[in-house]
């Protein structure tokens, strides 16, 4: 009666967390450090732009994105990455990146690759929509460890040629969630070269690209176009959720080759949920403004430095290169999360909930993910509590 293709999916991370923790009372004042919901100030003009355009809620929204928004995104890509894209054919607005990461796979993954079942590569641990997208299109998801030994990024080149020749899509997240690792230009060039050799597409999830410590991360589209790669080789995804502290706006975009975008747009015309016009106009203004991004990034740097001081005597723990998660080693992630909750009220996410067991091993099992999204004083209290409870 019901489809079997999703039967093997584990429960999503946050229902699993509630099942683990909520049967126990909190051991102190509750402090949420589980979800990547930025709590820095949003741009102060958001409310006014929305109010000025309230009447547009009475209109059906543009499916692909209003010209104002697509132009603002294209201008931002040029400023940020030096990449020129055609706003009419190479960009589409998204209702958050999760929608795009899912639907692009549906639109672009072939039914077969070299006469066999296609493969979709994903890092492990990973943002869970990657795997669901693969299952939805009937592809074989192949989970590739992204561990300390690999620089917390997947070593796709180590896979057998038979797997790479069946690969249709490879997901990559840089800066990575949950580890905060940044792919070097050499890593990105090698991945593009691998994709060219084995003829697969790269889906680059770059929604943490504007939160960094020392230097802005390179972008996959920037690297691919500098290399003269096939214009359809790379599809990128960005969002205002992390960059601009607007997770509830559900506004992002996908960009890539015109042929890929044509297929993504066509599918969305049938089944997508476009952004309302007022939200699109707010988004256009937000993409055009960098002052609020610079201010937010400065606050994250303060928290990174604070975390380094708090854990200075614990060499195996450091704050991330980019993004806003700490990926903290423990003996057992579930046990550590339960101990923190029952003894202190601090709530963190076991790393295993973001990973898959492969051959009996889970690369996230001995980690917890800690979000540094709260105000500085609250974050400090949480990190000091974690240090004293788990590492004291």
């Amino acid at each position: 009666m019901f489809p079997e293709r999703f039967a093997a999916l584990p429960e999503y991370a946050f229902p699993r967390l509630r099942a683990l923790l909520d049967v126990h009372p909190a051991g102190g004042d509750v402090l949420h450090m589980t979800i990547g919901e930025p709590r820095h100030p949003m741009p102060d003009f958001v409310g006014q732009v929305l109010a000025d355009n309230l009447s547009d809620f009475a209109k059906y929204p543009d499916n692909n994105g209003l010209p104002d928004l697509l132009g603002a995104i294209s201008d931002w890509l040029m400023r940020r990455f030096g990449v020129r894209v055609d706003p009419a054919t190479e960009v589409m607005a998204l209702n958050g990146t999760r929608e795009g990461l899912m639907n692009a796979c549906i639109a672009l993954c072939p039914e077969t690759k070299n006469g066999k079942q296609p493969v979709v590569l994903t890092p492990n641990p990973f943002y869970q929509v990657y795997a669901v997208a693969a299952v939805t299109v009937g592809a074989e998801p192949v989970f590739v460890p992204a561990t300390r030994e690999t620089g917390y990024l997947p070593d796709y080149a180590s896979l057998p040629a038979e797997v790479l020749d069946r690969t249709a899509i490879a997901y990559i997240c840089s800066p990575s969630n949950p580890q905060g690792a940044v792919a070097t230009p050499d890593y990105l060039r090698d991945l593009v070269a691998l994709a060219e050799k084995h003829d697969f597409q790269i889906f680059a999830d770059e929604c943490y690209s504007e939160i960094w410590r020392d230097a802005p991360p390179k972008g996959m589209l920037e690297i691919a176009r500098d290399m003269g790669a096939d214009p359809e080789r790379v599809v990128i995804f960005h969002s205002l959720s992390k960059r601009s502290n607007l997770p509830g706006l559900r506004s992002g975009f996908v960009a890539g080759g015109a042929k890929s975008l044509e297929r993504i747009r066509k599918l969305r015309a049938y089944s997508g949920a476009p952004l309302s016009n007022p939200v699109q106009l707010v988004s256009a203004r937000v993409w055009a403004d960098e002052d609020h991004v610079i201010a937010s990034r400065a606050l994250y740097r303060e928290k990174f430095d604070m975390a380094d001081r708090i854990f200075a005597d614990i060499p195996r723990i450091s704050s991330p290169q980019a993004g806003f998660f700490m990926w903290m080693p423990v003996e057992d992630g579930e046990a550590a999360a339960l101990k923190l909750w029952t003894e202190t009220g601090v709530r963190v996410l076991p790393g295993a909930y973001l990973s898959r067991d492969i051959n009996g091993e889970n690369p996230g099992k001995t980690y917890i993910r800690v979000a540094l999204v709260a105000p500085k004083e609250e974050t400090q209290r949480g990190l000091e509590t974690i240090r004293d409870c788990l590492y004291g």
Side-chain angles (χ1 to χ4, degrees), residues 25 32 44 58 64 66 100 112 118 121 176-177 199-200 226-227 229 233 271 283 298 315 326 338 351 380 383 391:
H32 292 275
D44 57 11
N64 298 330
L66 293 170
T112 61
L121 303 180
S176 62
N177 171 17
D199 192 24
F200 60 81
D226 285 348
M227 293 174 65
R233 189 63 59 201
S271 62
S283 302
M326 291 187 71
L338 187 59
Q380 178 174 342
L383 292 178
Y391 303 98

Side-chain angles (χ1 to χ4, degrees), residues 22 32 43 45 95 102 132 139-140 163 190 199 207 211 228 234 252-253 284 297 299 303 311 328 343 368 374 388:
D22 288 356
H32 292 275
F45 53 77
N95 213 318
M102 177 81 171
V132 176
E140 177 189 354
V163 172
D190 288 346
D199 192 24
C207 69
I211 304 170
V234 169
F253 71 84
R297 190 158 50 235
L299 294 176
K303 288 190 277 190
F311 293 98
M328 303 178 68
E343 294 185 9
I368 54 172
D388 296 342

